[in-house]
Amino acid sequence: MKAGARIYVPVSIAESRISRRFDPIPCGTLYPNADEIAYLQRLVMYKDSAIIVLNKPPKLPVKGNLPVHNSLDALAAAALSYDYEEGPQLVHRLDRESSGILLMGRTKESASYLQQLFININVAKTSCLAWNDACEATFMRYWALVVGYPREKEGVICAPLTKVLLDDGKTERVMLAHPSGLEASQEAMTEYRVLGPMINGCSWIELRPLTSRKHQLRVHCAEALGTPIVGDYKYGWFVHRKWKQTPQVTIEPTSGEPYKLRRPDGLDVQKGSVLSKVPLLHLHCRELVLPNIAKFLGVLGQRSAGYYPKLSEKPDVLRFVASMPSHMKISWNLMSSYLV
């Protein structure tokens, strides 16, 4: 061996099985091999000349810094550039433990317009009326399984957020800002809607963020609604401490009969679902509606609102729906079909 020599070490069969258990990226490297490139490309739901839409699995970090080397932004240049010279850029982020739709811009221009749209819709608007209407139609919807049941079945959470540093600045935590307003805070708004009754102490809710703040949905669920997301050990630690010890029974409100979760034959409940000893985070970006940026790039920034002829037949907005990861599918099936 000489200094600078490159050594290739095969991944064992046992490690391969473990890596497939929760569908994370096979291994961490800044130079993905053919298998890793194929893995990331399988996550792609949609691709055109301007954007790439992926269905991110849990445990795959989106934005990397030391000691994270296998983040999606670091691997995208090699795995998702396709026929472009540069790799795609992130438009928004998802937490490492969460899953769902992730949007990337294939060019600097498309990424810049979409990043402005996610930050401030008024800044993203131009003289093109059709583009402005498409911007107004933009939204994201998340599905989450929470511990407990909100007091109201639907509503809007208006609760500013602030950041605090813990462990001598090594750890950052987001929390609700104090009403006094003496500390620096950011406006945060989330629409929510309960999807069904509480079963075995948990309920499914739909979340639509109206602002884009770090950990906004997790903090709003845990602190504003008082219903932490299942698997959120950072903001819902107080309910997960007694997760194993608490037998939870809920009465069906109309008939008075108790709900009871039963294990269907042949279904493995030890994959991070609600019945696991250590469940994974149950937060999934399920739906995204956004402007068809590939159609509008030719007219954005111009004074005229007219379209190029070749773009006139394309839709103004695009809609995507991402399937839930395996652990959330198991929890959904368990909680939606077995009423005793």
Side-chain angles (χ1 to χ4, degrees):
M1 294 176 59
K2 297 181 180 180
R6 181 174 294 182
I7 303 172
Y8 295 89
V9 181
V11 179
S12 69
I13 296 177
E15 289 174 333
S16 297
R17 290 175 178 172
I18 293 174
S19 70
R20 288 194 298 267
R21 184 173 301 167
F22 295 125
D23 300 324
I25 191 168
C27 64
T29 171
L30 292 177
Y31 304 97
N33 57 36
D35 291 337
E36 292 171 329
I37 291 176
Y39 172 85
L40 290 173
Q41 291 180 351
R42 286 196 299 270
L43 303 179
V44 175
M45 301 171 53
Y46 174 84
K47 174 174 67 71
D48 62 20
S49 61
I51 64 171
I52 292 178
V53 180
L54 302 95
N55 187 0
K56 186 190 91 68
K59 293 192 172 185
L60 174 59
V62 171
K63 187 69 176 178
N65 49 28
L66 293 177
V68 177
H69 298 288
N70 65 336
S71 61
L72 190 57
D73 64 330
L75 299 169
L80 302 177
S81 59
Y82 296 98
D83 54 342
Y84 283 36
E85 293 183 359
E86 296 184 359
Q89 302 179 28
L90 291 171
V91 173
H92 68 103
R93 300 185 186 183
L94 294 176
D95 294 341
R96 175 180 181 142
E97 296 82 5
S98 62
S99 60
I101 295 176
L102 185 67
L103 178 63
M104 305 187 80
R106 298 195 68 189
T107 66
K108 292 182 179 179
E109 189 178 11
S110 63
S112 176
Y113 277 113
L114 292 172
Q115 286 168 355
Q116 290 179 2
L117 175 60
F118 275 76
I119 295 174
N120 190 332
I121 187 174
N122 294 321
V123 175
K125 290 183 177 180
T126 67
S127 59
C128 178
L129 298 180
W131 165 260
N132 295 343
D133 291 340
C135 290
E136 292 287 351
T138 302
F139 67 85
M140 299 181 72
R141 284 199 180 104
Y142 291 72
W143 278 11
L145 179 64
V146 299
V147 180
Y149 192 89
R151 292 183 178 180
E152 303 292 336
K153 292 185 177 181
E154 60 182 26
V156 179
I157 305 169
C158 300
L161 303 178
T162 186
K163 297 179 181 179
V164 295
L165 297 178
L166 307 173
D167 299 331
D168 296 327
K170 297 179 182 179
T171 305
E172 184 181 76
R173 183 181 177 90
V174 180
M175 59 187 300
L176 296 183
H178 194 274
S180 64
L182 298 178
E183 56 193 355
S185 62
Q186 292 180 311
E187 180 187 16
M189 298 177 63
T190 304
E191 290 183 356
Y192 76 92
R193 179 173 67 94
V194 179
L195 298 177
M198 182 168 64
I199 303 175
N200 206 51
C202 299
S203 54
W204 288 94
I205 63 173
E206 181 182 81
L207 302 163
R208 178 177 172 179
L210 304 180
T211 54
S212 301
R213 309 300 181 204
K214 181 178 181 180
H215 295 175
Q216 173 178 323
L217 301 182
R218 296 166 64 180
V219 176
H220 276 178
C221 285
E223 299 188 15
L225 292 181
T227 56
I229 298 176
V230 171
D232 189 353
Y233 303 100
K234 184 168 187 175
Y235 298 105
W237 60 270
F238 49 92
V239 296
H240 287 88
R241 281 189 308 175
K242 48 186 178 181
W243 177 265
K244 293 182 294 185
Q245 289 81 10
T246 307
Q248 301 172 356
V249 179
T250 304
I251 303 300
E252 205 282 327
T254 56
S255 66
E257 297 293 328
Y259 278 109
K260 181 179 179 182
L261 292 179
R262 296 190 303 185
R263 176 175 176 171
D265 294 337
L267 182 61
D268 184 3
V269 298
Q270 299 302 323
K271 287 191 174 182
S273 71
V274 67
L275 295 186
S276 298
K277 294 181 180 179
V278 184
L280 297 178
L281 183 67
H282 283 57
L283 178 62
H284 178 71
C285 183
R286 181 178 182 270
E287 184 180 3
L288 170 65
V289 173
L290 77 160
N292 187 354
I293 183 69
K295 173 178 180 176
F296 291 105
L297 276 180
V299 299
L300 289 177
Q302 296 184 3
R303 295 183 179 180
S304 173
Y307 300 132
Y308 290 150
K310 64 179 180 179
L311 299 177
S312 60
E313 299 299 325
K314 295 183 179 181
D316 289 352
V317 297
L318 301 173
R319 177 178 179 266
F320 305 99
V321 177
S323 59
M324 291 187 291
S326 58
H327 70 283
M328 290 187 66
K329 288 181 181 178
I330 293 172
S331 296
W332 178 271
N333 292 334
L334 286 167
M335 298 184 64
S336 62
S337 304
Y338 294 92
L339 172 62
V340 176

